[in-house]
Amino acid sequence: MRLWSRELWRIAWLATIGVCVGWLLGSAGLGLAAGLGVCLFHHLRQLRTLFHWLTLNPHEEPPAAGGMWGELLDRLYRYQKSQRITQGRLRATLARIQESSEAMRDSVVMLDRHGDLEWWNSAATDMLGLQTAHDRGQHITNLLRDPRFISYFNAREYGEPLTLASPIDERSILQYQITLYGDDERLVMARDITRLHRLEQMRRDFVANVSHELRTPLTVLSGYLETYGDLAEQLPPRLGRGIEQMQDQTQRMQNLVNDLLLLSRLEIDQGGQDHQPLSVETLLNSVCQDALALSHHKHMVQVVVESDARLLGSEQEIRSAISNLAFNAVRYTPAGSQITLRWAAMDNGGACIEVEDDGEGIDPVHIPRLTERFYRVDKGRSTATGGTGLGLAIVKHVLLRHDAQLQVESHPDEGALFRCIFPANRLIQD
């Protein structure tokens, strides 16, 4: 305020002097104009000085000036100095980030808001074949042209990574993960998981081969035990009980082998060849009859249909998934429990198959791990009921092959609800 006051007083004095001189010369207006002209000339001269300093020598100290112009030049100089310090720190930070990214074994690619390439590390050059001289400014989908990557990139749903072969070496398997940041910019990271992929493939092949090889000896054992079982009345009681136990354990092993083979097929086979419109009501009624037979009609099993839509999928796989859920409800609930199989529409346009019971329920701490292979909430009870520990893993893989997901809601003594949610594109409205 003091500088402004001085500047205003200076203009007032120049105007007064101009008026006085002009009055003495016989033209007060001309004198006022001359005084204001001197003031304007002074300010234009200072403005010219500021312009030359900013355009020609911005990094040098500002030219000497007094009054308001001197203060303005000093403030600009201090602001420029602080900005240079800030920019230096930012450049140093960016340099460290780039150095650390260069040291990473994973590919790092920075994209602008349009999806064009801005920067990438050397690992991206080796894994993705990006070339600085040609590819900078190109859209990412012009270089990574796999339709699955393009769909993943455009979907903007990056919760799960995408696994694809390397664009420059089909023997290498890469896992892509995209992250949104800043002004709708994207960071693409690619990791070489070839070794993990091969180990997983070896595990799948091992399980499938061992399961397949076990079928023949188990079939032979089952046949002989069945023959001896027919002669149980002629055998000593102790030997008869032993044969009966061997029959039970052989049947359990056969169920385990069958589940392992089914799970291996679900993991390896892409599926989709036998997908057709299914009548969910008919399927649920069939599963209901099977569940009643397993329960020996000791449970109350009902079917509730609240949607007339048909489901596009594999009847064998969907039946296997729902049967596993229904049979688990029979095995792990006491006699007299109510079990409901429900087909209902959802608010988002999709639909769901629900298997609900009013049994003992499950502690929520176990829910995240229920679909793991051989995971058991109560190992003793699961063994007694004849479960293989693979049922929910099969359900999970079947739903993944149908673009669906499994939700579980349960608390101790409040029953359990297993909900299979299918998207709208899997429904056919009659």
Side-chain angles (χ1 to χ4, degrees), residues 225 228 239 241-251:
L225 289 173
Y228 293 143
L239 183 58
R241 287 194 301 270
I243 291 177
E244 183 179 351
Q245 290 179 356
M246 285 189 288
Q247 285 180 320
D248 292 340
Q249 294 302 317
T250 301
Q251 183 61 46

Side-chain angles (χ1 to χ4, degrees), residues 38-55:
V38 171
C39 181
L40 179 61
F41 175 76
H42 170 71
H43 284 294
L44 289 175
R45 183 181 179 185
Q46 295 296 335
L47 186 61
R48 179 175 177 273
T49 302
L50 173 62
F51 176 78
H52 280 284
W53 174 57
L54 292 177
T55 55

Side-chain angles (χ1 to χ4, degrees), residues 196-333:
L196 292 176
H197 186 268
R198 289 175 180 171
L199 289 174
E200 180 66 15
Q201 187 63 45
M202 290 173 61
R203 181 195 65 79
R204 292 176 182 175
D205 293 343
F206 173 78
V207 172
N209 292 334
V210 170
S211 301
H212 182 75
E213 292 299 326
L214 284 175
R215 298 188 72 175
T216 300
L218 284 175
T219 301
V220 174
L221 285 174
S222 178
Y224 278 111
L225 289 173
E226 185 177 354
T227 301
Y228 293 143
D230 294 338
L231 303 175
E233 296 180 357
Q234 305 175 19
L235 298 175
R238 184 175 180 181
L239 183 58
R241 287 194 301 270
I243 291 177
E244 183 179 351
Q245 290 179 356
M246 285 189 288
Q247 285 180 320
D248 292 340
Q249 294 302 317
T250 301
Q251 183 61 46
R252 183 182 172 195
M253 290 183 67
Q254 286 180 323
N255 293 337
L256 178 60
V257 168
N258 291 334
D259 283 353
L260 283 171
L261 287 172
L262 174 58
L263 192 56
S264 297
R265 183 181 65 80
L266 293 174
E267 289 179 333
I268 297 173
D269 185 16
Q270 295 294 327
Q273 296 86 357
D274 60 341
H275 287 194
Q276 59 183 353
L278 306 176
S279 171
V280 180
E281 181 178 5
T282 303
L283 188 147
L284 292 183
N285 285 326
S286 176
V287 173
C288 176
Q289 296 304 315
D290 294 341
L292 286 171
L294 177 65
S295 169
H296 302 290
H297 293 270
K298 296 179 181 179
H299 293 72
M300 294 177 289
V301 186
Q302 64 174 351
V303 174
V304 176
V305 177
E306 300 176 356
S307 172
D308 57 358
R310 290 185 294 168
L311 177 63
L312 181 63
S314 167
E315 180 177 3
Q316 180 182 0
E317 293 178 8
I318 296 295
R319 177 186 294 275
S320 175
I322 305 307
S323 296
N324 271 297
L325 295 176
F327 294 168
N328 282 347
V330 170
R331 291 189 182 104
Y332 302 134
T333 58

Side-chain angles (χ1 to χ4, degrees), residues 3 10 42 45-47 49-50 62-74:
L3 291 173
R10 178 180 296 173
H42 170 71
R45 183 181 179 185
Q46 295 296 335
L47 186 61
T49 302
L50 173 62
M68 186 177 65
W69 283 100
E71 181 66 20
L72 177 61
L73 290 170
D74 289 341

Side-chain angles (χ1 to χ4, degrees), residues 2-104:
R2 183 175 300 177
L3 291 173
W4 280 104
S5 297
R6 290 179 180 176
E7 196 63 31
L8 289 174
W9 276 111
R10 178 180 296 173
I11 295 173
W13 276 110
L14 287 173
T16 301
I17 293 173
V19 169
C20 291
V21 172
W23 180 73
L24 292 175
L25 298 175
S27 178
L30 185 60
L32 176 61
L36 294 177
V38 171
C39 181
L40 179 61
F41 175 76
H42 170 71
H43 284 294
L44 289 175
R45 183 181 179 185
Q46 295 296 335
L47 186 61
R48 179 175 177 273
T49 302
L50 173 62
F51 176 78
H52 280 284
W53 174 57
L54 292 177
T55 55
L56 301 179
N57 304 303
H59 298 296
E60 297 182 0
E61 292 187 2
M68 186 177 65
W69 283 100
E71 181 66 20
L72 177 61
L73 290 170
D74 289 341
R75 286 178 179 270
L76 284 174
Y77 179 69
R78 289 195 297 269
Y79 176 75
Q80 282 188 329
K81 187 175 181 179
S82 66
Q83 288 299 306
R84 285 197 295 269
I85 294 174
T86 302
Q87 290 176 0
R89 291 175 179 172
L90 289 175
R91 283 194 293 269
T93 302
L94 288 174
R96 288 196 298 272
I97 292 174
Q98 290 183 350
E99 289 176 1
S100 61
S101 298
E102 285 291 335
M104 293 178 62

